[in-house]
Amino acid sequence: MGFRLSKIYTRTGDKGETGLGDGRRVPKDHPRIEAIGEVDSLNSQLGLLLAGLNGQGLEEVIEVLAPCQHRLFDLGGELAMPSYQALNAAEVERLEAAIDRWNEELGPLENFILPSGSALIAQAHVCRSLARSAERRCQQLNSVEPLAGVGLAYINRLSDLLFVAARLIGRRQGVAEVLWAAAPKP
């Protein structure tokens, strides 16, 4: 494979526009660029979570989450090149299978939990909340320029997976879930 980026800076975006894969130029605050940016932020934070999981005896979590970085890059490609489709329903099904498997171990959630307990649990929740933000940006784009494919379902299911992963990490670390306590009534 040849070089994908021979030069990092191009100076073509200095006036507030950027290029899409199909050659269109759009403002950097266009809903498509906002969606790409949120997916990129999620991917970066997911990388941080995966780095933290290394050496913690959580290989199963790594095996499920590591491919998600690649699929998020695929989703970014779909957003940058509107006619390009990389994700497929099998990826959504893979996430659903992991959610179902992990939920069997965890049992039902009986109360609201806080994104706390350990650094890894909190980082999984950071990823979950960024997945929700990316989903909102993708939905916003979808209302302006309809999106094809399973990207919206994938990002929605990924946020669910990250929630369950946070709970599983806590269970495997032996860290109790931090339950939400309602404010006392006046």
Side-chain angles (χ1 to χ4, degrees):
M1 172 166 35
F3 295 110
R4 293 232 180 218
L5 294 173
S6 58
K7 193 172 184 179
I8 298 301
Y9 65 90
T10 62
R11 297 185 176 136
T12 59
D14 291 352
K15 296 199 171 152
E17 287 190 343
T18 193
L20 297 176
D22 62 4
R24 279 190 299 158
R25 304 275 313 159
V26 296
K28 288 187 176 184
D29 62 354
H30 185 280
R32 187 169 294 278
I33 303 307
E34 291 287 341
I36 291 169
E38 289 295 326
V39 169
D40 185 39
S41 293
L42 168 58
N43 206 347
S44 297
Q45 290 292 332
L46 183 55
L48 186 60
L49 174 61
L50 287 164
L53 290 169
N54 278 323
Q56 299 297 313
L58 296 163
E59 287 75 19
E60 180 187 354
V61 178
I62 294 169
E63 287 172 14
V64 171
L65 293 181
C68 296
Q69 279 205 289
H70 298 275
R71 301 303 69 85
L72 287 171
F73 206 87
D74 289 337
L75 178 57
E78 289 184 8
L79 293 168
M81 300 174 285
S83 63
Y84 175 69
Q85 294 297 300
L87 293 172
N88 59 54
E91 284 301 319
V92 176
E93 293 165 7
R94 186 183 76 81
L95 300 184
E96 290 172 349
I99 291 167
D100 293 342
R101 188 172 60 251
W102 290 349
N103 265 335
E104 281 185 34
E105 177 180 336
L106 293 166
L109 185 62
E110 297 178 5
N111 201 340
F112 292 109
I113 59 172
L114 299 181
S116 186
S118 78
L120 288 175
I121 294 167
Q123 183 61 31
H125 280 290
V126 167
C127 292
R128 173 195 52 78
S129 65
L130 284 171
R132 289 288 187 215
S133 181
E135 181 186 13
R136 288 190 301 273
R137 294 291 84 61
C138 288
Q139 288 289 358
Q140 183 181 35
L141 171 62
N142 188 53
S143 70
V144 177
E145 297 178 17
L147 300 175
V150 299
L152 292 171
Y154 182 82
I155 198 80
N156 180 278
R157 215 67 81 250
L158 180 57
S159 66
D160 296 334
L161 176 72
L162 289 162
F163 178 80
V164 176
R167 293 189 67 212
L168 186 74
I169 290 165
R171 165 72 58 98
R172 300 269 174 94
Q173 287 183 320
V175 176
E177 292 179 329
V178 179
L179 302 178
W180 165 67
K185 297 194 186 228

